[in-house]
Amino acid sequence: LLVLFGTLTRSVSSFQLQAISKRSSFALLSIAKDANSEIKSNFLQQIDQPSECDNLNTPPSLSILLQSISSLANGSDIRGKFLDHPRVGSMASVAHVIKGEGGGGDLLTPLATYCMGQAFGSLVKQIVYENQTERKDSTITICIGTDPRNHGPILADAFCRGCMEESNVKVLYTGLASTPAMAHACRSSGGFDGSVMVTASHLPKEKNGLKFYVRGQGGFTKEQVQQLLGLTTKKINEWQNLGIVPTTSGGGAVCSYERVDILTGYAESLKDALCKECRGEGSVLSGLKIVLNTGHGSGGFFASVLQDLGAQVTAMHQEPNGDFPQGWVPNPENPAMVESTLKACEDVQADIGVMFDTDADRAGFVLPDGTGNYQPLNRNRLIALLSVIFAESNPGCTIVTDSVTSEGLAWFLEKTLALHHYRYIKGYA
């Protein structure tokens, strides 16, 4: 009887075979009660192995979809390899594409991003209603921006559409933005209740991710990202039950209630801040020669900020370009970016060189060293310079750094500047 059972199941697909319940298998064993006990024991061990259908009643396609988002959390951000899939069809068709990529746990798809949009809209609404009881059941606003990566609009569209599934949620799209601009959009007067930046920062161009902000709080915490992924899992289950892929636009189009411009207002706030720090108005940077290297990322708008304040700006790789034709993704610690900035500073005899990463939330600098040469100013050196400034304005203050700063920096802060140095853990553990 067992041999017959094995012969028959050879013609059954693996999916159908997994769907056979243990109850049927135990019934088969009871019929064969007179069979050799060792054969029965071996067969029982085989059918008692954990499987999706046996333990959790999870269809294989759903298991693949859930596995693909299992490792997307990167501390307080979402990061993964972008993977596109058909705009219409079944959830199984999406699972098939994911499986073709090896089914890893860090694949960022339009489907996953759509469900994250649903989850984020729900969470922001909950936060607003709990903290501002007078606004309960009122409309909340969420704004979405992207860095220049070519797949940014695809993910932004999916996220917008997911958000709009939630009642009382109005979603606006700003297109190209920087991460500080999106954070500022939640802080400024009359700002949004939530904002999202679609970016993978300095990671390779095939990567992408999401950074989240909420009015009155700032960035999402690690715990909130885990909560968001938990809700995302529930949403994927709901779409699996419906059996269809949620609608997205394709072709680079982004569906939203309105297209808004946040970079103009953010640029004005930067100019105001620089004038305040320089204790002046108007052309406070007049006479300065500045090289600005944005690496075809989001920071190209900063050139006009500096020029409006009187600086003479030499802009490098200013136009946003998700292909990053210079051969490297912008990162102020990338040797190729540093070297090209050094050379440009030497060519124009600049007073300072400024480098941004892709989403313009991290900067590095190049400065003349007094001998006719230029040197990079980043990492420990940058902290040292900032500390000199704070030692003058706030004597005896505490400088907080991550745990990998050098002993030389600690000695400089404490012995030379008479400041307190507090090292804190680095990473997302």
Side-chain angles (χ1 to χ4, degrees), residues 85-361:
H85 55 69
R87 294 283 176 269
V88 295
S90 67
M91 296 288 278
S93 66
V94 179
H96 179 74
V97 173
I98 293 172
K99 189 175 182 181
E101 285 290 313
D106 60 348
L107 297 174
L108 189 57
T109 63
L111 169 64
T113 310
Y114 186 105
C115 294
M116 287 181 201
Q118 289 183 279
F120 185 71
S122 176
L123 286 175
V124 172
K125 193 163 61 172
Q126 177 184 333
I127 293 169
V128 170
Y129 289 172
E130 287 179 355
N131 294 338
Q132 304 175 51
T133 54
E134 72 280 3
R135 290 190 58 191
K136 186 170 178 58
D137 297 328
S138 66
T139 299
I140 68 168
T141 56
I142 294 173
C143 186
I144 300 174
T146 71
D147 73 13
R149 283 178 170 82
N150 297 330
H151 31 76
I154 298 174
L155 296 177
D157 174 67
F159 197 93
C160 284
R161 287 176 174 272
C163 278
M164 290 190 291
E165 284 283 335
E166 287 293 314
S167 61
N168 297 331
V169 175
K170 183 177 181 180
V171 186
L172 304 102
Y173 179 58
T174 191
L176 184 73
S178 70
T179 292
M182 297 309 299
H184 180 264
C186 281
R187 292 197 310 264
S188 60
S189 176
F192 307 106
D193 295 301
S195 63
V196 179
M197 179 66 180
V198 182
T199 181
S201 189
H202 62 281
L203 296 180
K205 62 182 181 181
E206 65 270 15
K207 301 279 189 176
N208 219 321
L210 302 164
K211 296 181 179 181
F212 309 98
Y213 299 91
V214 180
R215 187 173 183 80
Q217 172 189 311
F220 251 25
T221 64
K222 292 184 292 184
E223 292 74 20
Q224 285 173 317
V225 167
Q226 291 299 327
Q227 187 180 2
L228 180 136
L229 284 177
L231 287 174
T232 300
T233 297
K234 292 182 180 179
K235 298 300 181 182
I236 288 178
N237 272 282
E238 292 173 6
W239 283 104
Q240 173 74 17
N241 291 335
L242 290 173
I244 58 173
V245 179
T247 302
T248 52
S249 298
V254 178
C255 178
S256 67
Y257 280 92
E258 186 181 347
R259 181 76 179 251
V260 295
D261 172 21
I262 67 165
L263 274 184
T264 299
Y266 177 64
E268 290 300 318
S269 72
L270 289 178
K271 286 189 278 190
D272 291 343
L274 284 167
C275 286
K276 182 179 178 181
E277 289 299 319
C278 295
R279 297 178 177 84
E281 295 181 1
S283 301
V284 294
L285 302 182
S286 180
L288 282 180
K289 290 183 179 180
I290 301 176
V291 168
L292 177 66
N293 189 348
T294 57
H296 294 296
S298 294
F301 74 96
F302 204 72
S304 62
V305 171
L306 299 174
Q307 287 167 343
D308 288 348
L309 296 177
Q312 181 180 333
V313 179
T314 300
M316 302 176 63
H317 311 303
Q318 183 179 6
E319 291 301 315
N321 189 332
D323 291 324
F324 303 113
Q326 69 274 22
W328 38 264
V329 177
N331 178 356
E333 295 180 6
N334 183 317
M337 188 175 200
V338 173
E339 285 302 317
S340 63
T341 309
L342 282 168
K343 185 178 185 307
C345 287
E346 291 171 352
D347 290 344
V348 301
Q349 290 297 292
D351 296 296
I352 186 172
V354 182
M355 301 170 287
F356 285 136
D357 69 345
T358 311
D359 56 330
D361 68 346

